Amino acid sequence: MTHETFVLSDRVYDIRVTPVDDLRTALVTVTLDGRLEWSLTVPGWRGVSLGAAGETGYLWSARELVVLPRATDAELRVIRVDEDLLSAFRVDDGWLLVCETSIRRLIDAAETARVELGDVVEVVRWESGVLHVRDAAGDDLALRVDGESLIA
């Protein structure tokens, strides 16, 4: 089991990840401010990562982005993808998801744009509003978000 404490503004999240017997899944338990708890099962073949943008905290696993609740009366929001999820960025009013061989723009849970890559992503960074990606073939790509679109 792993345990992380994640502080975002005035909220404290305790996040516990427990492998399940088959090792292809993990149980993630999120506790907000020591009072309220949510649990969900996620694909477990990749570790769970944490991110934040503004007042939004989130985590992602191999195939799911989980938006953390901001209040005790809210629920976890889960966005699923059909490819391994490597990185997730909150951009404007949506998401920029870096998957194993594609980059996806989502508004809420709806995919609005996608760029397919020629090989598996090896390096990714977000710098000054531009996503920089290098794949296993050594090809570099720079993308920026324009509303619902991705612009090379």
Side-chain angles (χ1 to χ4, degrees):
M1 178 176 84
T2 61
H3 176 256
E4 301 293 333
T5 300
F6 180 52
V7 178
L8 180 61
S9 188
D10 61 348
R11 294 178 304 280
V12 177
Y13 298 95
D14 285 307
I15 300 169
R16 292 184 312 278
V17 180
T18 307
V20 178
D21 291 338
D22 68 5
L23 300 178
R24 301 260 319 145
T25 58
L27 178 66
V28 175
T29 303
V30 177
T31 305
L32 174 59
D33 294 334
R35 298 181 305 197
L36 199 58
E37 189 170 278
W38 299 265
S39 292
L40 72 154
T41 302
V42 299
W45 59 88
R46 289 188 178 270
V48 171
S49 299
L50 300 171
E55 291 293 312
T56 303
Y58 53 96
L59 61 87
W60 66 93
S61 66
R63 297 279 173 109
E64 296 176 339
L65 171 69
V66 180
V67 183
L68 301 174
R70 292 189 233 184
T72 56
D73 61 348
E75 292 295 322
L76 298 173
R77 286 192 310 131
V78 179
I79 298 170
R80 291 177 176 82
V81 293
D82 60 356
E83 184 181 5
D84 279 11
L85 180 56
L86 306 180
S87 295
F89 300 93
R90 179 79 175 154
V91 180
D92 301 328
D93 59 347
W95 298 97
L96 189 57
L97 303 183
V98 179
C99 295
E100 196 168 45
T101 60
S102 66
I103 312 298
R104 304 168 190 211
R105 173 68 168 149
L106 284 83
I107 305 294
D108 295 318
E111 186 176 302
T112 61
R114 178 192 288 218
V115 173
E116 295 290 337
L117 304 173
D119 212 328
V120 175
V121 171
E122 285 197 340
V123 177
V124 60
R125 77 178 192 281
W126 179 258
E127 184 177 297
S128 302
V130 177
L131 180 72
H132 298 272
V133 176
R134 174 172 291 146
D135 69 16
D139 293 329
D140 291 316
L141 176 67
L143 294 171
R144 66 180 176 80
V145 174
D146 184 13
E148 295 182 353
S149 302
L150 294 172
I151 308 297

